[in-house]
Amino acid sequence: FLYRTLSSTMLNDEALSSAIDGDIIKNDGSSSNKSSLSNDALSSSGATTKKQQAGRKHSSNVMKRERNIEAITNTTTTMAWLQQNRVKREEEIKAIRVGNSSTSKRKVIQRQSSHGMRSVQKKTSLFLCFGFSFFICLLIVQLLYVEIMMDDTDTEHSHFSIHSIQKMILRKPQQQKNASSPANTTNTSKLLIHAADILLSTQLLSVPQNLQENGVSIPSSEIPSVEDMEKLYGKHARIYGLKDSCPAFRASVVEEERLITPAGMFNTGTNLIFELLKRNCCIKARQAKYGNETCGIRFQVPWGKHSPVSFRLKHDSEWDHISHTNSLPVVVIKDPYTWMSSMCRHSYSADWKRNATHCPNLVGNNNTTVPVTLDYPKNSPMPKAHYKSLIHLWNSYYNDYLNKTNAFPFLVIRFEDILFFPKDIVTEVCHCAGGVMYEPFRPVKESAKSLLKDKAHEGSSGLPAALMLYGNATKRREPFIDQDLKFIREQVSQELIQIFNYNIL
């Protein structure tokens, strides 16, 4: 627009100059004519003045034209400079765009890299946090496990040591190993069953003599053979905890406060050991303090003889409200095969699917495990318990006691030893608590359950029948089908079998 304006201005100036030049020429011609007509007119002042004015006007127009030319030249130069700057600016903008694009790419890459680093750092932090939390939880679980094993802090833990804590923590995984590898449990069993716990003075060869001394009359042809009994239960009686628990109990409980209290699963002979102890043992210091009727022999442990040991210090049975820590539990264990047969006859509060032709029925028709439900008192810590099978119930009850080794004093005796060696077993248990034995020894010939005179225990076997039943390997095998026997071999606690020397079919 500036260029067009200046160009039209220049054209107008050129036209004006041409017009002025034409006027000058015309004036010159008219002057010549006038001079020829009259010389006086040429000398007149008016003509001179007009010429001077025309000359000045011409000079002014020439100057304007020169200025216009100069302005046009400057404008052209300015426009060329602007054009160069525009091209240069466009190149710079293009370069900037290219640079911005690469910069953006670099920034994107940097952001991605930064995000990746932050993600890695976040994952690393989470992993470290999770690992630390897991370690803390594991430590807490181990501390709680040890605390549970110690059954809270009381005076009976004076013999508890760091070594026993390590032993308890390490023993649990060993119990969870596959039952099909007995070699893995042998060393553990050797740690648990001490040589002093095996009563070498007891001999199966003396069983007939013991029966005769106890006034039990059984035809010699019906007495189980020594070979059968040895195959089933070994040559000697054994008591778990005899060496360690007895000194610990006597050291932690004063004599006049000591109690001997039976415990065990249903159908294991808890009533029999109670009757035998009541007839033949007395803690004299307690009798002197509390009267002749109180010799320290109680019907059951304070938390209930059939209740799990986890109830200890947490629950009192309906009939007994006595000190838990002053009691020496005498836990009776029974051969798992004969125990399951007894449960078929008297199931008590245990419930599982079975029938008269197939009991104990460990594995159902569809090859699934038959679960067992057990009812405990409603006000107990566990009113109802569930187990995978009957053999799992047996494992759980007695392994829970073994897990309390060194937590508090207790004994575990075999039901079969009470039958074959009643005097030896009762004597050891009585002396363990600091009691004395009466003379002569008074056996229990009738069924100990029948002495309770309640319908729940009707039909129980007396001593002669029990000897013939539990010493007979054939009768031990009869109730089980092959499928159940295989299941027992796979699921029974190898540690319990090893410690108490039961034979697996």
Side-chain angles (χ1 to χ4, degrees), residues 196-267:
D197 298 327
I198 300 175
L199 306 182
L200 299 178
S201 60
T202 58
Q203 297 287 337
L204 286 174
L205 292 174
S206 63
V207 169
Q209 181 181 352
N210 289 341
L211 295 176
Q212 185 177 4
E213 290 177 355
N214 295 331
V216 179
S217 177
I218 300 178
S220 58
S221 59
E222 296 183 3
I223 296 177
S225 67
V226 174
E227 291 77 11
D228 277 352
M229 291 189 292
E230 184 176 322
K231 181 180 179 181
L232 295 175
Y233 311 116
K235 294 181 180 181
H236 308 287
R238 54 183 61 200
I239 300 177
Y240 180 81
L242 190 63
K243 179 180 181 297
D244 297 325
S245 291
C246 296
F249 180 73
R250 292 193 295 267
S252 60
V253 183
V254 295
E255 186 175 358
E256 58 268 23
E257 301 297 332
R258 295 172 191 166
L259 297 168
I260 303 176
T261 54
M265 274 306 303
F266 311 115
N267 298 298

Side-chain angles (χ1 to χ4, degrees), residues 73-89:
T73 303
N74 293 335
T75 302
T76 304
T77 304
T78 302
M79 292 184 66
W81 178 81
L82 290 174
Q83 181 67 17
Q84 291 177 356
N85 285 343
R86 185 177 66 80
V87 173
K88 185 177 179 181
R89 181 62 178 166

Side-chain angles (χ1 to χ4, degrees), residues 7-166:
S7 297
S8 72
T9 303
M10 289 177 65
L11 291 174
N12 293 333
D13 290 343
E14 288 176 359
L16 181 60
S17 298
S18 299
I20 293 172
D21 292 339
D23 290 339
I24 293 172
I25 294 170
K26 187 182 293 185
N27 290 332
D28 290 341
S30 61
S31 297
S32 301
N33 294 330
K34 289 178 180 179
S35 62
S36 62
L37 296 175
S38 177
N39 289 325
D40 295 331
L42 291 171
S43 60
S44 64
S45 59
T48 304
T49 302
K50 290 181 179 180
K51 287 183 180 180
Q52 290 176 352
Q53 291 177 351
R56 285 194 299 271
K57 188 175 183 180
H58 175 73
S59 299
S60 175
N61 290 334
V62 170
M63 291 177 65
K64 286 183 179 180
R65 185 172 55 190
E66 289 176 352
R67 285 196 299 273
N68 289 337
I69 292 171
E70 184 179 359
I72 291 171
T73 303
N74 293 335
T75 302
T76 304
T77 304
T78 302
M79 292 184 66
W81 178 81
L82 290 174
Q83 181 67 17
Q84 291 177 356
N85 285 343
R86 185 177 66 80
V87 173
K88 185 177 179 181
R89 181 62 178 166
E90 289 178 350
E91 292 176 353
E92 289 177 353
I93 291 172
K94 188 182 295 184
I96 290 171
R97 288 176 179 173
V98 174
N100 288 340
S101 177
S102 60
T103 303
S104 299
K105 290 181 180 179
R106 285 196 301 271
K107 289 183 178 179
V108 169
I109 294 172
Q110 290 175 355
R111 284 197 299 270
Q112 291 176 348
S113 177
S114 177
H115 178 72
M117 288 296 295
R118 286 196 299 270
S119 178
V120 171
Q121 292 174 354
K122 184 177 180 180
K123 290 179 179 179
T124 304
S125 300
L126 289 174
F127 177 78
L128 292 175
C129 183
F130 175 79
F132 181 76
S133 301
F134 178 78
F135 174 78
I136 295 297
C137 291
L138 183 61
L139 181 61
I140 292 172
V141 168
Q142 287 188 346
L143 291 175
L144 288 176
Y145 180 75
V146 172
E147 183 178 356
I148 292 172
M149 297 292 289
M150 293 177 68
D151 267 338
D152 300 327
T153 304
D154 52 48
T155 55
E156 67 187 16
H157 297 142
S158 57
H159 62 290
F160 201 85
S161 63
I162 296 299
H163 174 71
S164 62
I165 294 177
Q166 295 173 347

Side-chain angles (χ1 to χ4, degrees), residues 165-344:
I165 294 177
Q166 295 173 347
K167 182 178 177 181
M168 285 186 295
I169 295 175
L170 294 175
R171 186 196 311 150
K172 191 66 177 178
Q174 293 173 345
Q175 292 174 351
Q176 297 174 348
K177 291 183 179 179
N178 195 320
S180 61
S181 42
N184 295 334
T185 61
T186 303
N187 292 336
T188 306
S189 301
K190 286 182 178 179
L191 292 174
L192 295 175
I193 190 73
H194 194 276
D197 298 327
I198 300 175
L199 306 182
L200 299 178
S201 60
T202 58
Q203 297 287 337
L204 286 174
L205 292 174
S206 63
V207 169
Q209 181 181 352
N210 289 341
L211 295 176
Q212 185 177 4
E213 290 177 355
N214 295 331
V216 179
S217 177
I218 300 178
S220 58
S221 59
E222 296 183 3
I223 296 177
S225 67
V226 174
E227 291 77 11
D228 277 352
M229 291 189 292
E230 184 176 322
K231 181 180 179 181
L232 295 175
Y233 311 116
K235 294 181 180 181
H236 308 287
R238 54 183 61 200
I239 300 177
Y240 180 81
L242 190 63
K243 179 180 181 297
D244 297 325
S245 291
C246 296
F249 180 73
R250 292 193 295 267
S252 60
V253 183
V254 295
E255 186 175 358
E256 58 268 23
E257 301 297 332
R258 295 172 191 166
L259 297 168
I260 303 176
T261 54
M265 274 306 303
F266 311 115
N267 298 298
T268 55
T270 54
N271 293 320
L272 176 59
I273 191 62
F274 166 68
E275 286 294 333
L276 287 170
L277 285 167
K278 187 174 70 171
R279 295 183 183 191
N280 298 282
C281 176
C282 184
I283 301 175
K284 292 296 184 179
R286 185 175 180 88
Q287 186 184 44
K289 181 176 180 179
Y290 294 102
N292 292 332
E293 298 298 323
T294 308
C295 280
I297 311 301
R298 303 291 294 192
F299 175 70
Q300 63 179 353
V301 292
W303 55 92
K305 63 179 181 179
H306 301 314
S307 299
V309 69
S310 59
F311 286 14
R312 183 178 183 268
L313 302 177
K314 301 174 184 177
H315 174 70
D316 286 324
S317 68
E318 184 178 354
W319 299 283
D320 287 295
H321 298 279
I322 56 178
S323 172
H324 290 225
T325 57
N326 292 344
S327 301
L328 175 66
V330 180
V331 185
V332 185
I333 189 172
K334 192 176 188 178
D335 176 3
Y337 294 92
T338 57
W339 174 75
M340 285 185 279
S341 298
S342 298
M343 289 295 291
C344 290

Side-chain angles (χ1 to χ4, degrees), residues 12 69 85 96 104 201 259 261 336 363 380 391 418 430 448 457 460-461 480 488 494:
N12 293 333
I69 292 171
N85 285 343
I96 290 171
S104 299
S201 60
L259 297 168
T261 54
V363 182
S380 68
I391 192 62
I418 303 175
C430 184
H457 298 92
S460 301
S461 302
F480 299 92
I488 294 172
Q494 293 296 316

